[in-house]
Amino acid sequence: MDFCYNKSMGNGAVASKFKLTNKVQLNQSNLRTPIIPKRGFDDIENTTISEITTEPNTKDTDTAPENTENPLTHHPSNCNRCYRLKKKCTRTFPKCSHCERTGSQCEYVDRTKKRKKSSDNVVSSSEPDGQLIHIASADSTQTGVVAHKLISVSSLLVPDQSDNQVKNREKSKNKKIATAALASSARRAQEKDKEGVEKINYKTTQQPTISNIQEEFITMKEIKDDTLPLAFALNYFNNFGHKYPFVNKDVFLNKLRKIDFAKDSIVNLDVYLLLSIGCILYDAKTQTSHYSDYFKTKSIYSIIDVLDLSFSTYNKDSIHLLLLLSIYGLTSLNNEMVWNLIGLLNRAILKFDLFKKLDDKSVERVFWSVHNLDKEISLVVMKPSQFPKYTYIKKQDIDSTIYEEENLSLVKHYISLGKIQDSLVDAVLSHSNENLTQISRELGTWVSSFTKDISLKYVSQPNLQELIPWANIQSYYLQTVMDQVSTTKSFQFPSNFIFHSFTSLISASDKSSAAENKHNTKLAIIASGIWYAQLFDVIKLSTDTLIHFLQSDDSEICSKVKEFNEFLQQDLNLLKYIRGFRCLLRLEGYQKLSTKVNETIDVLEHLSIVLLGFDENSDNMDVLGILEGVKQNVESSL
């Protein structure tokens, strides 16, 4: 006879399953009490339920149809993807029908122990979409109600398993793994100890990962202050929205409003990543620790797993996530990851010929976002850019907005700055000062135009006023770099760089907005890996300038040393001010920064004391040795 049992689908529904066999696997997780066939009243009186359940049917077993489930062809549990999406899974090897249809990778994990019901333990519970997801621990030694745990990343994929899949599955049954870790542990089995840069390098050598990014989610812990998510988002857009103009602000904010952050929620990967960037910016200015409360660095690095880094096909969502990961690397000071990601983005631009497709608005925004990121990184590391040459680009600017309140002129200013940075890198690397006059003229025009637009056009937007000190910081940094190939050198530009940096830092940490119950969304260079690289580069280049004066036996060497010593005092004051920002020390990048800042303060204080006793008539070899040590200490790590 037909054997029938009920199977819970995980969303409150119960499906009936039929098998034309009498062999029942007692350890099968989806086995439920059989449905008793209808019989006459007299038959029921003379037959027990157990007899009905175990009654053989030789006719059925002799001729099993093709769809009979077999341990070699069917897995006893749903695949990870169907389990997460609450889909009805066919559980076939090597892929179930749903994963086969969508082109997704299919992975099975044994859940036999988790599905055992008992009157004392809660197996699983689910809430409506966008809210709480609970998974109970499956430790056989525990009694009573088991504490619930959140799944950190709800969708990560790994390559298909080997031909020994069945044997490995049988071995895994003996392992005791907490239920919340079942899905993630299997995904991380082949990528153990790979995070950040190592994971990126590993993924670029693997087969393409086909995944619908919009179906991938990360769970977020509840945020009790319902104004914080919007504050995080506005911090991102006020700091990076125009510099990297690939995110539609209106679309994103509308998506954000639909999420109930007052409860544990499920969010898309781009939402999680953008909010984490904004949270770092917010914490850096307000000296709070929201990042450690609501976000996990491992979860962010796990986003790399769903990306196709071999670039088998062009995927706009995947490129957007790579850009957001790069910006996250800048704000979390993971400079090595940024360097690897910008290489991948440049490769994608060339592989898909994006520089030839700028009539497409989404491609255009991605293209210029990568351009701005590439040029500022190329300058601080002083390495040639991998971005396509401007002669290959027919459309040299952006001419239309993607949302109503976008400041198109500001977007164009950032693109113009990238072009000036590119020209300066070429001049420095070629050791040529022929074009310095032209670069200096273009830089002066850019600064005056930028500050004029901010002061006149956007006077009603106070957040944009914070960009004026930033523009001066960029101007004085570029002029400090130009000094290295110029015939004239001075400490004026480095000193102005420090001054305007200090102004921007103090303004960003102003408490007046908090007193008015407004969240701080000002520009935050304190959480910018680019600015830190520029700061240490300015100290290094200024040290080079003093070495130049000492070695050239300048007649005014004493005044030059005094001027440099005054610059050192500004540096020390700024570094000590930075040292007071300790809210982000849980991030590895800020831990390394703290160590470097302390070491730099020590060597600069020692240098300052030595220079106070400087005598132009004495041997200056000791001073030169100390200056070389300072250069090595402050070498940019980007």
Side-chain angles (χ1 to χ4, degrees):
M1 70 174 200
D2 294 350
F3 178 76
C4 175
Y5 62 94
N6 294 331
K7 178 180 178 182
S8 173
M9 300 306 293
N11 58 357
V14 177
S16 297
K17 293 284 185 176
F18 295 88
K19 286 188 179 180
L20 301 179
T21 178
N22 65 334
K23 185 177 180 181
V24 181
Q25 299 178 18
L26 296 180
N27 66 337
Q28 191 163 318
S29 63
N30 51 21
L31 190 60
R32 297 293 181 267
T33 304
I35 297 176
I36 304 174
K38 292 183 179 180
R39 294 193 176 192
F41 181 75
D42 295 335
D43 293 336
I44 295 176
E45 281 187 338
N46 300 323
T47 309
T48 64
I49 292 178
S50 61
E51 290 174 339
I52 293 173
T53 305
T54 59
E55 181 182 347
N57 189 340
T58 56
K59 182 178 179 180
D60 292 339
T61 56
D62 291 339
T63 59
E66 292 182 358
N67 61 353
T68 301
E69 294 189 3
N70 186 299
L72 297 178
T73 60
H74 292 72
H75 196 279
S77 304
N78 289 359
C79 72
N80 278 346
R81 189 175 184 82
C82 292
Y83 177 79
R84 175 175 53 80
L85 297 176
K86 297 181 175 60
K87 298 281 188 180
K88 183 175 180 180
C89 185
T90 58
R91 310 195 308 279
T92 54
F93 292 124
K95 287 187 176 184
C96 70
S97 60
H98 179 68
C99 293
E100 183 72 29
R101 185 177 68 256
T102 58
S104 304
Q105 293 194 8
C106 191
E107 178 192 2
Y108 293 101
V109 175
D110 183 70
R111 300 186 182 90
T112 57
K113 295 181 181 180
K114 182 185 70 174
R115 285 182 172 266
K116 291 182 179 180
K117 275 191 174 182
S118 64
S119 59
D120 296 328
N121 289 344
V122 180
V123 177
S124 66
S125 65
S126 63
E127 296 287 340
D129 291 342
Q131 296 181 14
L132 185 63
I133 290 184
H134 286 303
I135 302 294
S137 297
D139 190 345
S140 58
T141 62
Q142 292 180 348
T143 58
V145 179
V146 183
H148 291 83
K149 297 182 179 180
L150 283 174
I151 300 175
S152 60
V153 180
S154 54
S155 175
L156 301 177
L157 305 175
V158 297
D160 292 338
Q161 297 180 5
S162 63
D163 295 334
N164 296 324
Q165 197 173 26
V166 177
K167 293 181 180 179
N168 293 336
R169 188 175 70 251
E170 293 299 325
K171 292 179 181 179
S172 66
K173 290 182 179 180
N174 298 323
K175 297 181 180 179
K176 294 183 179 180
I177 306 175
T179 306
L182 278 174
S184 58
S185 64
R187 287 192 294 263
R188 291 195 296 263
Q190 296 183 354
E191 299 182 7
K192 187 177 181 180
D193 298 330
K194 289 187 177 70
E195 288 188 0
V197 177
E198 291 184 4
K199 184 172 286 189
I200 293 170
N201 294 333
Y202 172 78
K203 285 283 291 181
T204 56
T205 63
Q206 301 307 299
Q207 292 296 324
T209 299
I210 308 299
S211 177
N212 185 349
I213 302 297
Q214 296 302 321
E215 292 184 1
E216 309 295 338
F217 303 92
I218 294 182
T219 56
M220 279 193 68
K221 186 179 177 181
E222 64 175 325
I223 302 178
K224 295 181 180 180
D225 186 349
D226 58 357
T227 63
L228 280 177
L230 179 60
F232 297 159
L234 293 179
N235 265 283
Y236 171 85
F237 286 108
N238 288 343
N239 281 269
F240 301 119
H242 294 96
K243 183 186 290 187
Y244 314 118
F246 66 99
V247 181
N248 187 318
K249 181 179 179 180
D250 290 345
V251 172
F252 183 87
L253 293 182
N254 287 334
K255 184 191 297 186
L256 197 68
R257 293 186 187 101
K258 296 178 182 178
I259 303 174
D260 184 7
F261 289 98
K263 303 176 182 178
D264 293 59
S265 53
I266 305 175
V267 300
N268 290 105
L269 304 184
D270 59 334
V271 174
Y272 188 87
L273 197 46
L274 189 146
L275 290 182
S276 68
I277 296 169
C279 183
I280 292 175
L281 296 169
Y282 184 84
D283 282 350
K285 293 178 294 183
T286 60
Q287 292 297 285
T288 51
S289 57
H290 295 308
Y291 179 85
S292 58
D293 293 335
Y294 305 125
F295 300 95
K296 294 183 179 179
T297 303
K298 287 187 177 181
S299 298
I300 292 172
Y301 289 156
S302 296
I303 294 174
I304 298 170
D305 292 332
V306 303
L307 302 178
D308 176 18
L309 300 188
S310 63
F311 300 122
S312 57
T313 58
Y314 178 74
N315 186 320
K316 180 186 73 172
D317 293 330
S318 183
I319 298 296
H320 282 194
L321 285 178
L322 281 176
L323 275 165
L324 286 172
L325 281 169
S326 300
I327 299 170
Y328 172 81
L330 289 178
T331 54
S332 63
L333 308 188
N334 190 338
N335 299 328
E336 191 175 355
M337 184 177 78
V338 177
W339 180 251
N340 280 267
L341 288 174
I342 192 62
L344 289 174
L345 288 166
N346 279 323
R347 194 177 81 185
I349 292 237
L350 295 174
K351 180 170 183 177
F352 301 117
D353 291 333
L354 298 189
F355 59 95
K356 299 178 182 178
K357 304 174 182 178
L358 297 183
D359 292 333
D360 185 325
K361 187 173 292 188
S362 65
V363 171
E364 178 186 53
R365 291 307 179 115
V366 166
F367 179 82
W368 290 112
S369 296
V370 176
H371 166 270
N372 294 343
L373 182 63
D374 175 86
K375 297 308 177 184
E376 61 182 354
I377 291 176
S378 175
L379 178 62
V380 294
V381 299
M382 199 50 66
K383 295 183 183 296
S385 170
Q386 302 174 38
F387 198 78
K389 294 182 178 180
Y390 296 115
T391 54
Y392 304 155
I393 305 170
K394 293 182 179 179
K395 191 177 180 182
Q396 293 284 332
D397 218 337
I398 294 177
D399 53 15
S400 61
T401 61
I402 58 174
Y403 58 90
E404 185 176 355
E405 296 182 357
E406 184 178 33
N407 297 322
L408 190 59
S409 63
L410 195 56
V411 174
K412 293 181 178 181
H413 283 312
Y414 281 112
I415 295 174
S416 299
L417 177 62
K419 295 177 180 179
I420 297 173
Q421 291 169 335
D422 185 69
S423 300
L424 182 56
V425 170
D426 286 343
V428 174
L429 292 179
S430 61
H431 303 286
S432 172
N433 56 11
E434 295 178 359
N435 298 324
L436 289 184
T437 303
Q438 177 65 23
I439 295 173
S440 181
R441 187 182 300 112
E442 291 175 356
L443 180 59
T445 302
W446 177 84
V447 172
S448 61
S449 175
F450 187 94
T451 55
K452 181 180 179 180
D453 279 354
I454 297 298
S455 301
L456 299 180
K457 292 184 180 179
Y458 309 117
V459 66
S460 61
Q461 301 181 34
N463 286 328
L464 292 181
Q465 298 298 317
E466 303 296 325
L467 291 174
I468 295 178
W470 177 86
N472 289 321
I473 290 171
Q474 300 308 307
S475 172
Y476 289 122
Y477 173 70
L478 292 176
Q479 292 181 79
T480 301
V481 175
M482 276 191 281
D483 259 3
Q484 304 312 300
V485 290
S486 174
T487 54
T488 59
K489 300 179 184 294
S490 74
F491 299 110
Q492 178 185 356
F493 299 136
S495 180
N496 285 328
F497 174 89
I498 299 297
F499 172 78
H500 286 284
S501 295
F502 224 142
T503 301
S504 181
L505 289 174
I506 294 173
S507 175
S509 58
D510 185 12
K511 306 289 185 181
S512 59
S513 58
E516 300 172 2
N517 295 322
K518 295 180 180 179
H519 285 295
N520 190 330
T521 59
K522 296 180 179 180
L523 186 71
I525 62 171
I526 190 65
S528 169
I530 295 293
W531 178 76
Y532 284 114
Q534 291 174 343
L535 172 62
F536 289 112
D537 202 24
V538 164
I539 298 174
K540 172 181 171 292
L541 295 176
S542 301
T543 307
D544 265 337
T545 300
L546 182 59
I547 291 175
H548 168 77
F549 287 134
L550 289 172
Q551 292 177 339
S552 62
D553 294 329
D554 193 289
S555 58
E556 299 180 355
I557 187 61
C558 284
S559 62
K560 297 296 184 182
V561 169
K562 182 180 180 180
E563 186 180 357
F564 179 78
N565 214 358
E566 291 174 352
F567 166 74
L568 277 187
Q569 298 307 314
Q570 289 181 299
D571 282 339
L572 286 169
N573 291 334
L574 180 59
L575 291 171
K576 290 176 181 178
Y577 183 78
I578 294 171
R579 186 167 60 180
F581 290 80
R582 307 186 61 84
C583 59
L584 294 171
L585 287 181
R586 292 189 180 184
L587 289 171
E588 184 180 356
Y590 286 88
Q591 294 173 8
K592 294 179 179 178
L593 173 68
S594 178
T595 301
K596 185 169 183 177
V597 166
N598 289 328
E599 291 175 351
T600 305
I601 289 174
D602 291 339
V603 297
L604 291 185
E605 285 180 338
H606 175 63
L607 176 60
S608 178
I609 293 172
V610 171
L611 293 180
L612 285 174
F614 177 79
D615 184 1
E616 61 179 329
N617 297 321
S618 63
D619 188 3
N620 296 320
M621 293 304 296
D622 291 341
V623 176
L624 290 173
I626 295 173
L627 290 173
E628 291 293 342
V630 171
K631 283 178 55 180
Q632 294 178 5
N633 179 269
V634 301
E635 190 73 34
S636 175
S637 60
L638 187 65

